[in-house]
Amino acid sequence: MNLPIKKVLPFLIAIVIFVLVSVVYFSPVLEGKKIFQNDIKHFIGMAKETNDFRKENHTEPYWTNAAFGGMPTYSLSALYPNNYIKKVDALVRFLPRPADYLFLYFLSFFILLLVLKVDYKLAILGALAFGFSTYYIIILGVGHNAKAHAIAYMPLVLAGILRVFQKKYLQGFLLTALAMALEINASHPQMTYYLLFCVLILGIVYFIDAFKKKQLTVYIKSIGILTAAVMLAIGVNATSLLATKEYAAYSTRGKSELTITPEGAPKKAVDGLSKEYITTYSYGLLETFNLFIPRFMGGGNREDVGTDSNIYQFLHGKIDPKQVREFTKYAPMYWGNQPIVEAPAYIGAILMFLFVLGIFLVDGKLKKWLVGAFAFSILLSWGKNLDFVTNFFIDYVPMYNKFRAVSSIQVIAEMVVPILAVLALKELFYSKKSINIKLEALKKAFYISGGIALAFTLFGTSLFSFEGLVDGNYKPIMEGELLEAIIADRKAIFFSDSLRTVILVTIAAGVLWLFLKEKLSKNIAIISLTAFILFDLVSVDRRYVNNDDFLSARKIDKPYIASAIDKQLLKDTTYYRVGNFMVNPMNDGSTSYFHKSIGGYHAAKLRRYQELYDYQIAKNNIEVLNMLNTKYFIFEDGNQRETVQLNPDANGNAWFVQKINVVANANEEILALDSLKTKNEAVIDKRFVSENFKTSYAKDTTATIKLISYKPNKLVYKTKSATNQFAVFSEIYYKDGWNAYIDHKLTPHFRVNYVLRGMEIPAGEHIIEFKFEPTVIKTGTTMTLVSFVLLILISLGWFFIDKRKKNVS
């Protein structure tokens, strides 16, 4: 009776600690407040139409017309049938957001450390250290929830894989299948892709070890079990994966057909994102020291330097006190080469010191994997600063060119550092190695990590210019003495944080030295290290994400208040689009909250629509805006106030054209829009043109076409004409899902004007219906259910077979 309690009690203690720490760090959630996340604010705007439709109709539209003229909701706000794994995830994330993600960080990493046979007290230390890694907290502050979600399940996936390699096959199979299913369900392919690299490195290390020990048969068996687990995990997420895969081909992650720039110059057709876009956020070589010294590069683009700063002293008395405080509160301290940095990706001074200790103290294949994964992660995070490596991966490694911000691959480093750090403590506290070996490793780790920090403390301010890429954005005001004051504050931050690291490393080394000299007990040493690690990480985290980021739930749930112009436009109950040029239309979710917008906010827009914007809308082509049925323009008047202008020339929901220009390729199609008279003409790619395709139609002045019913996934038109006509619909063409019906009969329709829909309408009176009927949802739903049932049956069958074998033996 006591044995199960002894096994469960540490787990229960850990869960209680994790819950308490999560809600204490994000304590405003106890008052019902919610964290303000800019990305989520835009997401709420983008998803408003979908959420309203779901609430009213109790079904999914899978399409929204509120953004970018129209797009699938697969990667926006879709809920899929038979998605039982989502219910499992909801059970685990029972705390209010974002405390739920922090708890998940802790729990997942704790389980991984238990699988690695770490004592539960050290596992709690490691879990807290992992969860408070600055990058993981920062992404919660800005609203990268899907990224945080995927990162949180990474350790759990590794736990399952390692359990299989430990020959605990059933446990490993179940844990891998469940964890991988949850990882995929988090819906952040980039993070899951980076996890794959970490797993591949692990697999290579274990393969070499198995080869040396002549245990390839066991290795192959393990790989087979893991493959089956991953396949089932993919299967239970089939709907979302199939839908995402389908959409990705048409998104900015897919291949462009254009071989010209917006200016008309030749360019290479791109499959995936451009190298320049992929590597915009490349970590600097020196910037890597941010992992060890928090504000080595000044911190973020906006740092609060306070009233003791050189900037404050310089500006005080020269400009309005409110402006002085505003500037010092958001001072441009970052001096690296990335365009925007919210905060440094700080892993922790003590953790990095312990990681170095692990290099000297830990033996075996786990260390090789962790050090190899760390090096791999850092090298790739340098992006354009290590061109030959990055270019190789972009050009030759599958899918690598689908993801931007290469610096974020440091999530691997941020995961493996605390693993090796805790394994180092495990060796130091629990292994039978001699005290001399442990002391020697401790000295080496201290001399290396402490020595680097001390060198920067003593000499760093004279080694660098402390001028960065972002300084160019402030040139009109950041010149002369002000720039000197800014650089002086950057140096002061550099010195103070370098000294801080020296002190923390010294304290940690001192605690371990006292333990080895039997001046401190094991438990006191562990508690002390936990306290110092939490002080180290939390004090940095609080600089960037704290109680000030929380607002009332009402303000978060309804982040947009209708302006006078919004209210004015909402009186127009027809179906139209709005072009809001008060903001960057292609980086704005606010307009979609109230209106059907020609813009939006999404990391993977439809590629053709992005190209339409770059090649035409950005050049103010009014004919293109007309064909998108842009009935209203919002812009800034001469007095910097928001104003609205009616566009009387908007083409409406659909119209008949008399001439159809056939072009040879995408280049000609996009260029044809330069001069196309969209009310009378259309342009079509020759691939849609059959032998009997008509390119001209007689004008019928009595012909009418009118939208009579609107839903995001179903549009109904009524037409009347004396002769056959060709209609252009101001709706985005998306062949995998949209079907057209004339009088309930399925009828072909085509892509015209680069992004819109067109079709021939026979003479007479007809009802035209466009329905979004994606087959990918039906296929995926069946696969999801079958995979989930298989997972349960295989697990149960395996369990009973193992049990019978044990009873027989």
Side-chain angles (χ1 to χ4, degrees), residues 498-748:
S498 297
L499 180 59
R500 177 185 188 275
T501 293
V502 171
I503 294 170
L504 287 168
V505 168
T506 303
I507 289 172
V511 168
L512 296 179
W513 184 83
L514 288 172
F515 165 75
L516 292 175
K517 292 294 184 179
E518 299 182 352
K519 305 291 185 183
L520 280 181
S521 70
K522 185 190 304 176
N523 288 337
I524 295 298
I526 292 173
I527 291 169
S528 299
L529 282 174
T530 304
F532 287 121
I533 288 171
L534 286 177
F535 166 78
D536 179 15
L537 293 171
V538 172
S539 60
V540 174
D541 293 338
R542 299 292 286 182
R543 294 174 184 170
Y544 305 102
V545 180
N546 51 56
N547 292 359
D548 295 339
D549 298 304
F550 285 80
L551 302 172
S552 69
R554 180 182 55 81
K555 290 182 179 180
I556 298 299
D557 294 337
K558 294 183 178 180
Y560 301 107
I561 298 173
S563 66
I565 285 176
D566 291 325
K567 292 176 182 177
Q568 176 187 337
L569 297 188
L570 289 170
K571 292 177 182 178
D572 185 341
T573 57
T574 62
Y575 172 42
Y576 58 87
R577 294 194 181 91
V578 173
N580 185 357
F581 295 99
M582 281 287 292
V583 293
N584 177 354
M586 299 301 277
N587 200 32
D588 160 57
S590 63
T591 309
S592 299
Y593 190 82
F594 297 108
H595 314 291
K596 308 293 186 290
S597 175
I598 65 167
Y601 187 89
H602 200 275
K605 313 166 187 70
L606 283 167
R607 179 177 278 281
R608 278 188 165 254
Y609 195 84
Q610 179 68 62
E611 291 169 343
L612 183 77
Y613 182 87
D614 294 338
Y615 287 70
Q616 298 296 339
I617 298 175
K619 297 177 181 178
N620 299 315
N621 187 330
I622 190 65
E623 284 286 353
V624 168
L625 291 166
N626 289 343
M627 79 178 194
L628 292 174
N629 194 22
T630 315
K631 190 175 181 180
Y632 297 100
F633 299 119
I634 299 174
F635 57 91
E636 187 180 286
D637 66 11
N639 297 314
Q640 296 184 332
R641 292 177 302 188
E642 185 181 60
T643 188
V644 65
Q645 178 179 316
L646 172 69
N647 177 20
D649 297 321
N651 290 12
N653 305 119
W655 59 95
F656 295 125
V657 296
Q658 288 72 60
K659 184 180 178 183
I660 304 167
N661 303 308
V662 180
V663 295
N665 51 46
N667 287 350
E668 292 185 13
E669 191 177 4
I670 196 78
L671 291 176
L673 296 176
D674 289 348
S675 56
L676 191 75
K677 303 302 180 185
T678 58
K679 290 184 178 63
N680 303 311
E681 302 175 82
V683 58
I684 191 169
D685 192 297
K686 69 177 182 181
R687 78 187 79 174
F688 293 104
V689 176
S690 63
E691 193 173 320
N692 299 320
F693 188 86
K694 289 179 62 178
T695 58
S696 62
Y697 291 81
K699 187 175 181 66
D700 180 356
T701 56
T702 64
T704 58
I705 181 168
K706 184 179 180 182
L707 179 71
I708 59 172
S709 175
Y710 168 80
K711 289 181 180 179
N713 58 353
K714 183 180 179 181
L715 298 102
V716 183
Y717 305 81
K718 187 174 182 180
T719 69
K720 181 179 180 181
S721 61
T723 60
N724 290 359
Q725 296 291 313
F726 191 90
V728 175
F729 299 86
S730 186
E731 302 298 332
I732 301 302
Y733 177 86
Y734 188 84
K735 79 179 184 71
D736 291 324
W738 279 106
N739 292 320
Y741 299 85
I742 297 181
D743 300 327
H744 308 295
K745 182 182 178 182
L746 185 65
T747 307

Side-chain angles (χ1 to χ4, degrees), residues 111 189 230 375 602:
I111 293 172
V230 171
H602 200 275

Side-chain angles (χ1 to χ4, degrees), residues 205-216 218-219:
V205 170
Y206 270 75
F207 172 78
I208 294 170
D209 184 70
F211 182 80
K212 288 179 178 178
K213 294 177 180 177
K214 299 182 179 180
Q215 295 179 346
L216 285 178
V218 176
Y219 178 83

Side-chain angles (χ1 to χ4, degrees), residues 160-182:
I161 293 169
L162 288 166
R163 203 62 176 148
V164 170
F165 281 130
Q166 292 169 355
K167 300 181 184 178
K168 299 293 183 180
Y169 295 124
L170 177 56
Q171 291 179 19
F173 169 80
L174 277 171
L175 188 53
T176 303
L178 179 62
M180 196 66 211
L182 290 165

Side-chain angles (χ1 to χ4, degrees), residues 295-305 309 311 327-328 330-336 466 468 470-471 474 478 485-493:
R295 290 183 294 182
F296 186 93
M297 283 281 179
N301 287 91
R302 299 178 298 176
E303 291 277 336
D304 188 349
V305 293
S309 64
I311 296 173
F327 193 85
T328 56
Y330 301 105
M333 288 294 98
Y334 175 70
W335 51 279
F466 292 89
V470 295
D471 292 354
Y474 300 92
M478 278 178 45
I486 289 169
I487 289 175
D489 282 331
R490 288 172 178 172
K491 288 182 177 182
I493 284 174

